[in-house]
Amino acid sequence: MNRIQIRNIGQIGGLSEGEACTPGGNFFTHGGNQGSIWSSTEDAWLLVEGKHIIKWGPMSDEPSLPPHTEVWDANGAWVMPAFVDPHTHLVHSGTREQEWKARLQGASYQEIAAAGGGIMHSVRSLRKAEFSALLDESRIRLESIRSMGVGSLEIKSGYGLDFDSESKMLRTTRTLAHEYPDMNIHSTCLALHAIPPEYCEDANSYVRKVTQEWIPVWAEEGLIDFVDIFCERGYFGLEHLDALLECAHQLGLPVRAHVNQFSVMGAVKRAVEGGALSVDHLEELDDADLEALKNGETYPILLPGCSFFLGIPYASGRKLADAGLRVVVGSDYNPGSAPGFNPFLTLSLSCLKLGLMPEEALNAMTIHAAGSLQLSDRAGSIGRGKEASLLFISGLKDWSTLAYHFGHIPPLRVMLKGRFI
Ligand code: NIG
Ligand code: FE
């Protein structure tokens, strides 16, 4: 087993000392959302054994090295947990620059979708793509996001919308997870992303097909960890969300849901009461939605990259944090509404546009994001026995420096499950 003692660490951030988090566990009770979770230790050493963090302490009190221990001098670099991205559509075929240019000239995302573009554009292209080509294309993105310090991520299907094409997407995600065992890659079925043309606007029949026939097969084959739905006018409604919640409940699969991107329709309350693990987007939010979130356990996941790229309102991160909620932030990386996944830009947008303080934004992209993927026991924080998926960063004045230089990737070394990549 490899054993590495890292010496001369400027500061350790994202410590969750002593936590034995249950899945979906609540770090929030240990210090609120205001940054106290983002506690740090200065001038430190840290011991990694195999894939795990064993212990750490101040350099003034460095123990003698156990035999066969490699030493790495961090030379004053600061260390934090690798980012966790809880919402991506990383597997897709081709990009949509033409539509983006149409938007630059005034067309809206919804107008493009109504004219047969948008998600359906990506569906046509994905259906034609060979599995190997889809895998190659997706692997390039995965390599890129991991090099930027994302150690765990969720990937959705939703550009196939027929059994074989959705299966192709889900298998691509599982293959990537197999190829990159030093990451945690979770697979979400988003077959309820849009109504496919074969169902000629008959959403009810399509939802029945997906919930009663397809999802049970994918669950049986071990292809999915979560299920998701796009609740929106022209897409899926509350009765469809109910059908998904019911199917997920029977199969023991946690639900994530795209809600309130463009309209408030009561989906937040329904999802929270139905026990959904996360509600994602929330650019539009009314008081009833906020109340429902306050009374439930569902994680709110905010996606500032989508608002940035589409020019739509930003979610009220400040309001949600002030309500005491465990705010989570993700990239929403996808070819239509957020074709970028740089976590450092997402961090800056979280501060500048969602109203979070830098430490809150860091919590949102590490500890809380891990909770929203049921990974708190191993990822998203630095604690004994947690995975040694760590970022070593030079040149920080304080943790806010990471968000201050927007879109900038600082000098970075990435360790995933105990090995530098
Ligand atoms: O999360 N809102 C729905 N789905 C994606 C966008 C999908 C696309 O445009 O390709 C989102 O923003
Ligand atoms: Fe999304």
Side-chain angles (χ1 to χ4, degrees):
M1 198 194 309
N2 68 314
R3 186 185 287 129
I4 310 177
Q5 175 104 322
I6 300 154
R7 308 186 68 235
N8 298 317
I9 298 169
Q11 250 192 57
I12 303 179
L15 282 171
S16 60
E17 173 60 294
E19 299 298 349
C21 272
T22 49
N26 191 348
F27 278 91
F28 162 71
T29 53
H30 297 273
N33 218 354
Q34 303 299 327
S36 49
I37 296 167
W38 197 259
S39 55
S40 54
T41 290
E42 288 182 33
D43 194 19
W45 57 270
L46 182 143
L47 179 66
V48 169
E49 251 179 43
K51 296 177 182 170
H52 299 108
I53 298 163
I54 300 300
K55 50 186 173 178
W56 59 89
M59 283 305 291
S60 56
D61 197 15
E62 191 187 17
S64 54
L65 296 181
H68 312 295
T69 305
E70 207 182 305
V71 175
W72 184 66
D73 191 333
N75 212 358
W78 293 21
V79 66
M80 62 171 271
F83 288 110
V84 175
D85 193 336
H87 183 137
T88 84
H89 307 249
L90 189 103
V91 171
H92 63 84
S93 168
T95 47
R96 311 215 302 255
E97 287 86 343
Q98 284 305 334
E99 293 182 359
W100 178 55
K101 286 188 272 181
R103 283 203 299 104
L104 291 177
Q105 292 176 306
S108 74
Y109 181 77
Q110 291 100 315
E111 282 162 2
I112 290 168
I119 294 171
M120 291 319 298
H121 180 131
S122 294
V123 169
R124 286 188 290 276
S125 151
L126 187 124
R127 285 181 174 184
K128 278 188 251 151
E130 294 288 339
F131 174 76
S132 61
L134 184 64
L135 180 61
D136 288 348
E137 192 183 329
S138 305
R139 189 188 297 110
I140 291 170
R141 291 179 207 121
L142 189 73
E143 284 278 348
S144 172
I145 198 171
R146 90 194 220 110
S147 74
M148 294 182 199
V150 174
S152 303
L153 78 162
E154 179 260 18
I155 303 178
K156 299 177 194 296
S157 69
Y159 292 123
L161 311 187
D162 64 35
F163 183 80
D164 289 345
S165 310
E166 285 289 308
S167 301
K168 182 167 63 182
M169 290 189 78
L170 296 168
R171 279 190 292 117
T172 303
T173 297
R174 282 293 193 241
T175 304
L176 291 173
H178 184 75
E179 288 183 3
Y180 293 85
D182 57 0
M183 301 179 80
N184 301 307
I185 302 178
H186 281 199
S187 164
T188 297
C189 168
L190 179 57
L192 300 180
H193 197 190
I195 307 163
E198 298 78 24
Y199 284 80
C200 309
E201 305 299 309
D202 182 4
N204 293 341
S205 310
Y206 181 59
V207 171
R208 262 197 306 278
K209 193 77 175 170
V210 171
T211 55
Q212 294 176 12
E213 297 179 30
W214 299 355
I215 290 178
V217 173
W218 294 321
E220 173 75 27
E221 288 177 355
L223 283 175
I224 49 183
D225 303 304
F226 304 108
V227 293
D228 197 342
I229 179 170
F230 183 24
C231 295
E232 189 58 58
R233 295 214 174 85
Y235 294 82
F236 299 99
L238 295 185
E239 68 280 26
H240 305 132
L241 173 61
D242 287 341
L244 183 69
L245 285 163
E246 169 65 26
C247 142
H249 183 71
Q250 277 175 16
L251 296 168
L253 288 168
V255 175
R256 327 182 74 78
H258 285 69
V259 298
N260 292 37
Q261 183 177 7
F262 302 107
S263 25
V264 174
M265 48 192 251
V268 172
K269 187 160 186 279
R270 211 56 158 251
V272 171
E273 288 176 359
L277 183 57
S278 73
V279 282
D280 305 40
H281 274 287
L282 308 178
E283 287 85 347
E284 304 292 333
L285 195 79
D286 70 10
D287 291 347
D289 295 329
L290 186 62
E291 237 1 80
L293 284 165
K294 274 161 66 174
N295 293 328
E297 288 292 314
T298 305
Y299 285 90
I301 301 190
L302 312 183
L303 308 164
C306 173
S307 299
F308 175 69
F309 192 70
L310 290 187
I312 62 173
Y314 285 85
S316 251
R318 184 71 268 138
K319 217 191 226 180
L320 292 163
D322 285 344
L325 295 162
R326 302 158 297 179
V327 175
V328 178
V329 172
S331 70
D332 195 21
Y333 171 79
N334 75 76
S337 69
F341 44 56
N342 177 345
F344 296 97
L345 177 57
T346 306
L347 192 67
S348 303
L349 291 175
S350 301
C351 301
L352 292 164
K353 300 293 185 181
L354 303 181
L356 300 179
M357 289 303 286
E359 283 84 358
E360 291 175 309
L362 284 163
N363 288 338
M365 295 179 65
T366 54
I367 287 172
H368 296 320
S372 81
L373 289 182
Q374 301 186 321
L375 281 172
S376 310
D377 57 337
R378 41 193 169 125
S381 67
I382 294 182
R384 282 165 227 270
K386 301 235 164 131
E387 288 168 355
S389 294
L390 304 168
L391 309 183
F392 294 89
I393 304 162
S394 315
L396 300 186
K397 192 163 177 183
D398 60 51
W399 289 110
S400 80
T401 310
L402 285 176
Y404 165 80
H405 293 292
F406 63 90
H408 166 88
I409 299 176
L412 186 69
R413 277 205 81 179
V414 180
M415 173 182 273
L416 294 179
K417 297 190 188 172
R419 297 204 183 270
F420 286 108
I421 67 168

